[in-house]
Amino acid sequence: MIKVTIIGNGNVASHLTDAFLKASEVSLIQIYARKLESISQLKSVTTITDSFDDILAADVYIIAVSDDAISEVSSRIPKNNGLVVHTSGSFDMHTLQCNHSKGVFYPLQSFSKDKKVNFNTIPLCLEAEYEKDMKLLEQLAFAIGKKIYRINSKQRQQLHVSAVFVNNFVNHMYKIGYDICKAYDVPFEVLQPLIAETTAKINTMAPIDAQTGPAKRNDLKTIANHLTLLNKAQQEIYNTITKSIQNG
Amino acid sequence: MIKVTIIGNGNVASHLTDAFLKASEVSLIQIYARKLESISQLKSVTTITDSFDDILAADVYIIAVSDDAISEVSSRIPKNNGLVVHTSGSFDMHTLQCNHSKGVFYPLQSFSKDKKVNFNTIPLCLEAEYEKDMKLLEQLAFAIGKKIYRINSKQRQQLHVSAVFVNNFVNHMYKIGYDICKAYDVPFEVLQPLIAETTAKINTMAPIDAQTGPAKRNDLKTIANHLTLLNKAQQEIYNTITKSIQNG
């Protein structure tokens, strides 16, 4: 049985809490939050606290707080034999300012507070200073999930910036498509099958092989025509991405 | 029974051929291609020809050729009572240079030669000069599909440029994510669940409400850090899209 303490009460913390409470090999012994009332609903299932003085001895402390607070929060965990990990995609393992062994437990997904998640489908990216700690994190990860990867800090940073492209920037492309449709009274749902197909394709093809369209074909007539249909801000994006596709 | 002739032998032509051959309310009476051998495998199921002189009288002629050839090809169809339509997303209905009634039959999907398609999931965007022709096109569309929309030439042009954003440009974001992963020996599959979630979200939320990430949060520290991880071409795209997200 792995004794786990979660520090934080945001989206990642609350989804991890749900998952660990269901995992038979994990004992979620405590949850810390700065404001006790924010986690009061959990007091029937675990110990809750708002004081670092009351932190119990655990095998793993999971710091799931905003990136900027990781360093300070980690420095306040009382010294013992436990392993301290953060859950950030962009911060180095050594952001942790504690005398404990250090690691990272990064679930790569975009969490919303109200939307249930299935950890079986979420990649859990692990890092640790020592092999024995890595083994412990793997055991903990397999207790709630299936897609477990060893990813070091440098790789994780790159993964995080990749995620901005394939998630945030992709969503912005959807937003522009939505705006254009709305302006001309075309239901956005007309584009949904194409969106699904675009995403499905890269399960079986490298994205570069899946590329189609006027930029790829160097169809200058269509590109020029498209530019006349867009506003200035949309034109800038259209030109920048078209140029990038043409450069391969 | 609607008598249909298909002109062309590209991806759209061949997927429409397959669909019409299976549709009980449609009789695919003829297929034209410039090179007869390119459609010779169809000679057992319909009439094939490479000569406009041999074109039979049909109810609907579907011109599924490259955009630049629509005008010339349409001018060569012998005059009769049939309706002539093209299948282009970006060209106006009046690109058709024939004395027939005109229309458009635009299946909004990215077709690959070898990949089977299910027309039940593909939006069919229809336009016609006259209501009776629109009715005929709707009958034809419902013979092979389920998602039928009336979309005029102006709307279709806008839809086509939207499709570039949500398909071609989204795929390019995947390509950049793939390149970054590859350079740091991270398997791209780690990002697949996030990609699936990003796409699934907009089935239930407007894209603007689904936006997350450093640009949306105005997290300047993370943005600055991300830029140090990218090459010059990637930086240009990162900056342009980040600015656009920040401008709402």
Side-chain angles (χ1 to χ4, degrees):
Chain A
M1 190 70 90
I2 309 171
K3 286 194 222 168
V4 171
T5 291
I6 289 179
I7 296 168
N9 66 337
N11 287 340
V12 174
S14 71
H15 287 299
L16 283 175
T17 297
D18 290 347
F20 287 134
L21 284 172
K22 283 187 213 130
S24 57
E25 300 133 76
V26 177
S27 171
L28 183 60
I29 60 165
Q30 195 172 31
I31 300 175
Y32 165 95
R34 232 170 356 175
K35 295 184 181 164
L36 202 62
E37 66 270 28
S38 70
I39 51 171
S40 60
Q41 77 286 3
L42 292 165
K43 118 182 119 180
S44 60
V45 290
T46 187
T47 314
I48 62 171
T49 183
D50 59 359
S51 162
F52 282 104
D53 295 335
D54 296 336
I55 293 277
L56 305 170
D59 299 315
V60 184
Y61 300 89
I62 299 180
I63 301 182
V65 300
S66 66
D67 285 358
D68 289 339
I70 292 171
S71 177
E72 199 247 324
V73 163
S74 65
S75 72
R76 302 189 58 191
I77 300 174
K79 175 67 189 136
N80 64 28
N81 294 323
L83 169 66
V84 174
V85 301
H86 71 61
T87 58
S88 164
S90 53
F91 276 53
D92 194 281
M93 177 167 67
H94 293 285
T95 306
L96 295 166
Q97 297 297 319
C98 51
N99 297 315
H100 304 69
S101 294
K102 300 176 182 69
V104 178
F105 192 95
Y106 169 48
L108 200 171
Q109 188 52 280
S110 170
F111 293 101
S112 312
K113 194 101 191 170
D114 299 326
K115 196 163 176 229
K116 286 220 170 179
V117 301
N118 176 1
F119 273 97
N120 280 334
T121 66
I122 298 178
L124 298 170
C125 303
L126 310 180
E127 182 178 11
E129 290 177 289
Y130 306 106
E131 182 59 25
K132 78 167 173 43
D133 293 332
M134 179 57 97
K135 288 261 169 18
L136 178 61
L137 288 182
E138 284 177 337
Q139 203 187 332
L140 186 62
F142 277 115
I144 60 168
K146 282 185 176 156
K147 292 167 178 276
I148 320 295
Y149 298 89
R150 292 186 176 204
I151 300 283
N152 65 35
S153 284
K154 185 77 197 156
Q155 290 174 316
R156 197 175 54 258
Q157 274 201 316
Q158 297 291 343
L159 203 46
H160 192 255
V161 69
S162 296
V164 169
F165 281 91
V166 305
N167 173 12
N168 307 149
F169 290 177
V170 161
N171 187 71
H172 194 59
M173 298 301 113
Y174 296 156
K175 189 254 181 195
I176 294 173
Y178 186 93
D179 289 348
I180 296 171
C181 284
K182 201 157 180 203
Y184 288 84
D185 211 20
V186 177
F188 184 61
E189 63 174 56
V190 181
L191 290 170
Q192 297 277 18
L194 180 65
I195 288 171
E197 173 74 9
T198 305
T199 302
K201 258 191 190 171
I202 57 147
N203 285 320
T204 54
M205 292 169 92
I208 195 159
D209 299 324
Q211 191 63 62
T212 58
K216 168 76 176 180
R217 287 195 308 273
N218 201 26
D219 178 350
L220 303 179
K221 207 163 144 186
T222 299
I223 292 169
N225 179 45
H226 280 170
L227 288 169
T228 66
L229 303 171
L230 301 172
N231 68 31
K232 212 161 171 276
Q234 292 163 347
Q235 281 173 351
E236 192 185 347
I237 290 186
Y238 191 100
N239 278 324
T240 303
I241 301 179
T242 292
K243 197 178 69 184
S244 179
I245 292 172
Q246 289 173 332
N247 291 337
Chain B
M1 189 71 87
I2 308 171
K3 286 193 221 169
V4 171
T5 291
I6 289 179
I7 296 169
N9 67 336
N11 287 339
V12 174
S14 70
H15 287 299
L16 283 176
T17 297
D18 290 348
F20 287 134
L21 284 173
K22 283 187 212 128
S24 57
E25 300 132 76
V26 177
S27 171
L28 182 60
I29 60 166
Q30 194 171 31
I31 300 175
Y32 165 95
R34 231 173 354 178
K35 293 184 181 166
L36 202 61
E37 65 271 25
S38 70
I39 51 171
S40 59
Q41 79 284 3
L42 293 165
K43 122 182 113 177
S44 60
V45 289
T46 187
T47 313
I48 62 171
T49 184
D50 60 358
S51 162
F52 283 104
D53 296 334
D54 295 337
I55 293 277
L56 304 172
D59 298 315
V60 185
Y61 299 89
I62 298 179
I63 301 182
V65 299
S66 66
D67 285 358
D68 290 338
I70 291 171
S71 176
E72 199 248 322
V73 163
S74 65
S75 71
R76 300 190 57 191
I77 300 175
K79 175 70 189 137
N80 65 27
N81 294 323
L83 169 66
V84 173
V85 301
H86 71 62
T87 59
S88 164
S90 53
F91 276 53
D92 194 281
M93 177 167 65
H94 292 286
T95 305
L96 294 166
Q97 298 296 319
C98 50
N99 297 316
H100 304 69
S101 293
K102 299 177 182 68
V104 177
F105 192 95
Y106 168 48
L108 201 171
Q109 189 51 281
S110 170
F111 293 101
S112 310
K113 195 98 190 172
D114 299 326
K115 198 164 175 228
K116 286 217 170 182
V117 300
N118 176 2
F119 273 96
N120 280 333
T121 66
I122 297 177
L124 299 170
C125 303
L126 310 181
E127 183 179 10
E129 290 175 288
Y130 306 106
E131 182 60 25
K132 77 167 175 43
D133 293 333
M134 179 58 96
K135 288 262 172 14
L136 178 61
L137 286 182
E138 283 178 337
Q139 203 186 332
L140 187 62
F142 277 115
I144 61 169
K146 281 184 178 158
K147 292 167 179 276
I148 319 295
Y149 297 90
R150 292 186 176 205
I151 300 283
N152 65 36
S153 284
K154 185 77 197 156
Q155 289 174 317
R156 198 175 54 256
Q157 273 201 318
Q158 297 290 343
L159 203 48
H160 192 255
V161 68
S162 295
V164 168
F165 281 91
V166 304
N167 173 12
N168 306 149
F169 290 177
V170 161
N171 187 70
H172 194 59
M173 298 301 112
Y174 297 155
K175 190 255 180 193
I176 294 173
Y178 185 94
D179 288 349
I180 296 170
C181 285
K182 200 156 182 204
Y184 288 83
D185 211 18
V186 177
F188 183 62
E189 62 173 57
V190 182
L191 291 171
Q192 297 278 18
L194 180 64
I195 288 172
E197 174 74 9
T198 304
T199 301
K201 259 191 190 170
I202 55 147
N203 285 319
T204 55
M205 293 169 91
I208 196 159
D209 299 323
Q211 190 63 61
T212 59
K216 168 76 177 180
R217 287 195 307 275
N218 201 26
D219 178 349
L220 301 179
K221 207 164 144 185
T222 299
I223 292 169
N225 180 45
H226 280 171
L227 287 169
T228 66
L229 304 170
L230 301 172
N231 67 31
K232 211 160 172 280
Q234 291 163 347
Q235 281 174 351
E236 193 186 347
I237 289 186
Y238 191 99
N239 278 323
T240 303
I241 301 179
T242 292
K243 198 178 67 184
S244 179
I245 292 172
Q246 289 174 330
N247 291 337

